[in-house]
Amino acid sequence: MTQESNVVLVTGGTGLVGSAIRKVLETAPVDSEFGKKAGETWIYVRSKDADLTDYESTKAMFEKYKPTQVIHLAAMVGGLFKNLKYNAEFYTKNQAMNDNIIRCSKEVDVQKLISCLSTCIFPDKTTYPIDETMVHNGPPHHSNEGYAYAKRMVEVQTRLYAEQYGCNFTTVIPTNIFGHDDNFNMDDGHVIPGLIHKCYLAMRDNTDFVVWGTGSPLRQFIYNDDLAKLFIWTLREYDDPKPIILSVPEEDEVSIKDAALAVARGMGYPVENVKYDTTKNDGQFKKTANSDKFKKLYGKPFEFTPFEEAVKETCEWFKANYENARR
Ligand code: NAP
Ligand code: GDP
């Protein structure tokens, strides 16, 4: 197979991560570290192109595009409060999508498949920091059991396909992601986009900006443009069926309160007026992940966008795209 015939299919290509991969590839020079390779075609698909919960629809898409590499991002995704409401659906839809993608990738001889896990799938009761070997060491947090078990099975299925059929399939484990093109829905989205939207409305309507929970849980947030580069690196350089954590360093973990204050500053809202509704769920206290495996394999410092700067850019994006943003 010549390099010219490489077709990279990105499922979930219109989402938070898919849009960032597209942006990074379209900005970086061809054949540079995070650029396209000469002659390579990238195809970004979403649910209107194929319903990945349906095997026939998924197979037809693979037969249409004949991908040589697949980055599988499509998923039913949501923050803590959406997971609490739709745990069963999270399991059924994600399990079906992931199984269809893995099966079809094998059936059309995809040369490399990267599927996406999450630090949300790690055990609730665990020692810290968490690393790649600990995915199955105990039940996940009850709030997102459906999502977590569906994703854990991707880890299993990926390794089994590598072992039995010799497939070059792998999985990556990002932490909490935010950035442009996120889902800014206040009930169903993740914390940073939810807080940006709430802060926007508080300023527009002169109402309170209320953070849910105590603000004390800890998270490692990663900006989608940074994660996109790590995905491109994984595609080019990481050929091992075992998962790899893609995360900011442990010392960059921040509290939800820190994140809320960064949002307030990013939006220009007075930080002293931020309020907390402590009747709301805090979710898992922390999921601190160790990214030494990536650091060692990458072999040089990776320049993550400073958190405050990334939050500010996301606030600016939301303000500029309010009418069309997912919200
Ligand atoms: P997202 O913004 O919610 O986008 C989801 C994408 O999946 C959209 O393009 C959507 O297409 C597509 N999709 C959903 N259901 C589909 C279906 N039945 N058939 C085909 N396509 C479907 O998601 P994201 O935040 O970029 O997440 C990307 C990956 O990262 C996911 O695997 C997620 O589990 C993982 N992850 C996310 C986070 C986070 O903080 N966001 C953290 C860790 C891991 P439509 O828009 O057309 O429906
Ligand atoms: P998680 O990282 O997978 O747990 O999911 P989220 O991105 O939804 O973050 C949940 C954490 O943020 C919990 O501690 C929530 O109590 C807290 N939080 C505070 N305000 C909000 C909000 O407006 N939306 C969401 N989703 N979480 C919030």
Side-chain angles (χ1 to χ4, degrees):
M1 172 126 344
T2 61
Q3 195 187 40
E4 281 64 45
S5 59
N6 274 3
V7 174
V8 189
L9 179 71
V10 182
T11 73
T14 53
L16 169 68
V17 181
S19 308
I21 291 179
R22 187 176 202 148
K23 177 182 159 192
V24 167
L25 283 165
E26 287 176 1
T27 314
V30 172
D31 285 334
S32 65
E33 184 179 17
F34 302 121
K36 287 183 191 170
K37 299 247 180 265
E40 201 172 57
T41 304
W42 284 69
I43 294 162
Y44 302 86
V45 288
R46 63 184 306 176
S47 51
K48 73 170 166 48
D49 299 297
D51 176 5
L52 302 181
T53 63
D54 178 79
Y55 173 81
E56 295 304 331
S57 177
T58 309
K59 189 68 186 274
M61 186 184 71
F62 274 70
E63 280 167 354
K64 178 175 175 190
Y65 294 116
K66 299 185 175 37
T68 49
Q69 285 117 323
V70 175
I71 298 181
H72 172 42
L73 303 171
M76 180 174 175
V77 182
L80 168 64
F81 298 92
K82 184 175 179 186
N83 274 274
L84 283 164
K85 276 188 287 188
Y86 304 113
N87 243 317
E89 220 172 302
F90 267 99
Y91 180 80
T92 306
K93 287 197 172 160
N94 285 323
Q95 189 280 333
M97 277 191 244
N98 300 333
D99 182 51
N100 288 333
I101 289 290
I102 292 173
R103 285 171 58 200
C104 289
S105 293
K106 178 195 171 276
E107 286 163 10
V108 308
D109 289 327
V110 164
Q111 293 165 15
K112 181 160 186 174
L113 165 66
I114 304 173
S115 299
C116 192
L117 310 179
S118 165
T119 48
C120 296
I121 76 171
F122 279 115
D124 178 30
K125 306 272 178 277
T126 184
T127 53
Y128 294 99
I130 304 170
D131 70 33
E132 291 87 350
T133 66
M134 296 160 76
V135 171
H136 303 285
N137 290 359
H141 194 265
H142 67 87
S143 60
N144 70 345
E145 258 192 285
Y147 178 80
Y149 277 116
K151 292 264 183 199
R152 284 188 185 190
M153 289 307 104
V154 178
E155 195 283 324
V156 173
Q157 200 172 352
T158 297
R159 280 186 295 101
L160 296 181
Y161 271 56
E163 262 170 49
Q164 187 178 339
Y165 308 119
C167 295
N168 182 18
F169 293 176
T170 193
T171 52
V172 298
I173 311 181
T175 52
N176 195 313
I177 312 158
F178 70 100
H180 57 86
D181 296 287
D182 206 343
N183 176 8
F184 290 82
N185 184 284
M186 291 183 289
D187 296 317
D188 290 345
H190 281 94
V191 56
I192 291 187
L195 290 179
I196 289 175
H197 192 175
K198 284 188 199 171
C199 190
Y200 177 91
L201 295 183
M203 292 173 74
R204 189 191 69 183
D205 303 339
N206 202 18
T207 52
D208 285 340
F209 172 33
V210 183
V211 179
W212 288 343
T214 60
S216 58
L218 303 172
R219 294 290 182 269
Q220 281 156 297
F221 291 105
I222 185 164
Y223 192 35
N224 63 346
D225 285 351
D226 293 342
L227 181 63
K229 292 178 182 166
L230 305 188
F231 262 97
I232 295 162
W233 172 84
T234 304
L235 181 72
R236 308 293 186 212
E237 306 293 340
Y238 184 74
D239 289 319
D240 186 324
K242 296 201 194 89
I244 183 164
I245 290 173
L246 301 180
S247 169
V248 300
E250 287 160 58
E251 56 272 22
D252 288 355
E253 186 171 58
V254 298
S255 69
I256 296 297
K257 181 178 180 190
D258 292 332
L261 298 183
V263 166
R265 285 189 290 272
M267 296 295 284
Y269 182 87
V271 290
E272 61 281 10
N273 292 353
V274 176
K275 300 205 164 37
Y276 296 83
D277 179 352
T278 56
T279 66
K280 296 276 193 191
N281 203 314
D282 265 346
Q284 193 166 348
F285 179 67
K286 64 178 184 174
K287 324 174 181 198
T288 321
N290 175 296
S291 56
D292 281 357
K293 179 172 175 176
F294 166 73
K295 245 185 270 174
K296 186 160 171 259
L297 291 174
Y298 190 64
K300 57 191 174 188
F302 181 85
E303 298 295 329
F304 288 97
T305 311
F307 179 63
E308 191 88 14
E309 185 181 319
V311 169
K312 172 96 178 144
E313 281 178 21
T314 309
C315 292
E316 296 302 334
W317 185 92
F318 182 68
K319 285 192 269 184
N321 293 279
Y322 180 73
E323 288 308 327
N324 297 320
R326 276 187 293 164
R327 58 187 170 86

